[in-house]
Amino acid sequence: MHRQYLPANALQAWTDLNGIESKGITINQTSNGRGLGLIATKHTSDDKTPLTTVPAHLVLSLENVWIHAKSDRHLQEVLEVVGDYSRSARGAILIFLLMQITHAASIGPGGIGIGISGPSTEYIKFLPGTVPLPIFWTDEEKTLAAGTSLEAALEAKLRSLDREFAHLRASTASIGWCQECWWHSGTEGLTFEDWKQVDAMYRSRALDLPGTGHAMVPYIDMANHASGDETVALYDTDSDGNAVLLLRGGKTLKPDDEVTITYGDEKGACEMLFSYGFIEDTMASARELFLDLAIPDDDPLKLAKKSISRSAPGFKLFQKGDAVDWEGDFVWLVCVNEEDGLRFGLVQTIDGKQELKVLWKDIEMSPESSFANLLKGERLWDVFQLRATIIIQGRVEQQLLALERRKATSSPMPDGDKNTGTLHRIILLRELEETLMLQAYDELEKKKEELLASKVVQEYLGAANDDFT
């Protein structure tokens, strides 16, 4: 779908027109080549007076999207027809963004005038036409990510976006104006690339705004990222529901300084690249990574376990001080079986349907129950820990081997490419994740040796050996 754009030098006029107050900062090109950003225009160390105040009605949130829909029948029609999808902040905002682009493309000579204009209609025209996120990488670039946690995350994201787009199409195919503007083969209609674009707009700009939740905040979302002590400002909500940008305590701004916020100091290298398209060169650790995990095919309870699992099928490795730890309730589900006390049964609900229930030693578990908390109280806790440690170490080893194979088959690149673009970001991700996984492997080995020396484990293995004999 054709998208309209406005020049960046007109953005300040838009902010003035829509009542956004900025005191001592403006939108301008950054001096470090990061494109547009928020730049200080005067000296200040005042951390009480907002640098910027964005009126509450301009904040693009779940609540405000549905408020907009009360006066925009086309928006309301789509929000309602897609069902539960539009009841989440992300779903509602993606549809709103799509409707604003559709409105801009449908007005004028020959247009059918879909939707209504508002401040967001113009603001979206200031947003860049390309966002350097991995979902837009070429097939060749995607293969470079093999062996990193980004590989699986990217594949899963593209599948998810494809399902969402198919749902949108199926849900709106019978609406006349949707058929004419989006789906008719004779028009420049809506494509999967358009859907990826609105997802990228949201994902790279959404803030977790206190009191509001995930939202896009015009002007403030022009601030670039800096972590740790380099973060200059923070965003908040004032007593009137307006979004505000405040100088961090102890910080001082002088003219031409860039006003940065943090996109999340706790976010790992993979998530930063996945959601924002970059990794800070100063990042000393991958911080965290997620590895998927499959239930073995020879597990007789595989289908039942997959059916009742409420957690992501895998585990997260993360830096914890100088050590590496892991978490993932799915691992504990993989660890236990029928001989340990795990059972499944079918119960009939009041409406006549059958439902799978989970029992641990003949006691029914609720869907919210944590296997980790359950197993900690068991006499064989050390045995379950040993199983989990072996499973995780094996999966980490598998990932390290995949990473090594990718490195071994990588084609040499010209020296000039090593410090720029996609290749540089992938190489940095590989190095950071490899370091984290090597440390995790070594620590898991020590944990395994410690558990093997446990009296409980020794007795369990001895009994198992006697039964085998």
Side-chain angles (χ1 to χ4, degrees), residues 215-272:
M216 290 175 67
V217 185
Y219 201 95
I220 293 178
D221 68 10
M222 287 291 177
N224 289 313
H225 167 78
S227 61
D229 195 51
E230 297 301 312
T231 306
V232 173
L234 53 87
Y235 48 86
D236 205 343
T237 305
D238 68 14
S239 58
D240 295 321
N242 304 314
V244 294
L245 189 66
L246 298 162
L247 192 65
R248 286 180 66 191
K251 292 291 182 182
T252 298
L253 283 175
K254 57 183 184 297
D256 297 327
D257 281 352
E258 184 176 2
V259 181
T260 56
I261 60 174
T262 177
Y263 295 173
D265 282 15
E266 75 289 348
K267 291 179 179 175
C270 179
E271 186 176 357
M272 291 299 293

Side-chain angles (χ1 to χ4, degrees), residues 368-403:
E368 295 77 26
S369 297
S370 164
F371 269 96
N373 291 335
L374 181 75
L375 298 177
K376 281 178 184 176
E378 293 291 325
R379 185 182 67 83
L380 294 179
W381 172 233
D382 282 356
V383 174
F384 299 136
Q385 285 189 88
L386 178 60
R387 291 180 191 172
T389 300
I390 291 171
I391 288 170
I392 292 167
Q393 188 185 39
R395 181 65 185 87
V396 169
E397 181 179 26
Q398 181 187 38
Q399 193 72 14
L400 282 167
L401 290 171
L403 192 57

Side-chain angles (χ1 to χ4, degrees), residues 1-5 96-117 121-122 124-125 177 180-182 187-190 194:
M1 180 174 287
H2 175 70
R3 219 185 122 194
Q4 297 180 5
Y5 298 93
F96 180 84
L97 293 172
L98 191 61
M99 290 298 299
Q100 299 310 298
I101 295 170
T102 302
H103 171 73
S106 68
I107 58 177
I112 59 175
I114 299 303
I116 60 174
S117 291
T121 311
E122 300 304 304
I124 290 169
K125 296 176 185 178
W177 68 262
E180 184 173 352
C181 286
W182 289 351
T187 64
E188 187 183 346
L190 189 62
D194 296 319

